[in-house]
């Protein structure tokens, strides 16, 4: 189970693209040096390397190594701006429950059952889903669930993340599930290349 891999940093495609560029140009850099141009310390780079892994772009660890599909994405769209890249990141983030359990739950279990929902609805769902792992850490009233819910909602509403996919929209304190035209998921490198 992987739940709190993001720390305080939400998915941010410009930062992810910048970190990839820096790490590939100078493969021997450690997290401290990777983070320096962004004005942060080593936890910043470690967190964004984790985002790169959870979204299927890179293997875990240093030096940064792109996955075969990640190589295609970066070759075709190094700034991570195209709709194909956004859908790739989304599908990879939510597909594997072991790699990102809360994201898998939100996209594939919670969202299909809720045409509208509040943050409290999501918190209740996360407590039911994650609580069996540790009621102390993920049960009702959990501060960790608050952080996870905040990051999930940021990722799917902010343009620098995956907000442009149009999966949800915020209306005051409520969120509405939308039904955008989806792209992917891609099972082979060839099908991903063709999508660009």
């Amino acid at each position: 189970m992987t739940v709190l891999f993001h720390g305080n940093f939400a998915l941010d495609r410009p930062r992810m693209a910048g970190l990839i560029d820096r790490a590939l140009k100078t493969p021997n850099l450690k997290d401290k040096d990777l983070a320096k141009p962004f004005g942060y310390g080593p936890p910043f780079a470690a967190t964004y390397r984790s985002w790169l892994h959870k979204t299927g772009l890179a293997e875990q660890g240093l030096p940064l190594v792109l996955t075969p599909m990640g190589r295609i994405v970066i070759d075709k769209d190094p700034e991570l701006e195209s709709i194909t890249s956004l859908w790739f990141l989304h599908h990879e983030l939510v597909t594997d429950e072991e790699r990102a359990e809360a994201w898998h739950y939100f996209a594939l279990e919670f969202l299909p059952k809720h045409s509208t929902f509040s943050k409290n609805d999501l918190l209740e769902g996360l407590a039911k889903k994650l609580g069996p792992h540790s009621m102390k850490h993920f049960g009702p009233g959990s501060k960790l669930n608050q952080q996870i819910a905040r990051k999930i909602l940021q990722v799917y509403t902010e343009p620098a993340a995956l907000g442009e996919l149009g999966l949800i929209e915020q209306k005051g304190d409520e969120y509405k599930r939308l039904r955008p035209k989806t792209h992917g998921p891609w099972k082979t490198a060839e099908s991903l290349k063709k999508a660009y």
Side-chain angles (χ1 to χ4, degrees), residues 110-132:
F110 179 84
L111 202 53
K113 294 177 184 172
H114 294 83
S115 58
T116 61
F117 63 95
S118 67
K119 184 176 177 184
N120 283 338
D121 295 330
L122 178 56
L123 287 169
E124 286 176 23
L126 288 170
K128 286 179 187 170
K129 178 67 176 180
L130 303 177

Side-chain angles (χ1 to χ4, degrees), residues 10-42:
L11 188 154
D12 182 296
R13 290 178 291 113
R15 287 178 173 176
M16 291 167 67
L19 192 78
I20 288 172
D21 182 62
R22 186 160 170 74
L24 293 180
K25 284 180 178 170
T26 316
N28 61 338
L29 293 179
K30 301 293 182 212
D31 284 338
K32 177 183 173 186
D33 298 311
L34 284 171
K36 197 177 288 185
F38 298 93
Y40 289 101

Side-chain angles (χ1 to χ4, degrees), residues 89-110:
L89 298 175
H90 163 73
H91 289 306
E92 289 294 315
L93 181 60
V94 305
T95 297
D96 185 355
E97 186 173 15
E98 285 298 310
R99 193 164 64 189
E101 186 171 3
W103 302 88
H104 178 275
Y105 165 73
F106 175 72
L108 302 179
E109 295 178 42
F110 179 84

Side-chain angles (χ1 to χ4, degrees), residues 55-87:
T55 56
L57 292 173
E59 301 294 339
Q60 220 165 4
L62 281 173
L64 188 97
V65 175
L66 296 177
T67 64
M69 300 285 260
R71 171 54 61 199
I72 292 166
V73 172
I74 296 305
D75 285 349
K76 298 289 187 180
D77 180 22
E79 300 300 319
L80 301 175
E81 295 175 332
S82 80
I83 195 70
T84 300
S85 296
L86 272 68
W87 279 110

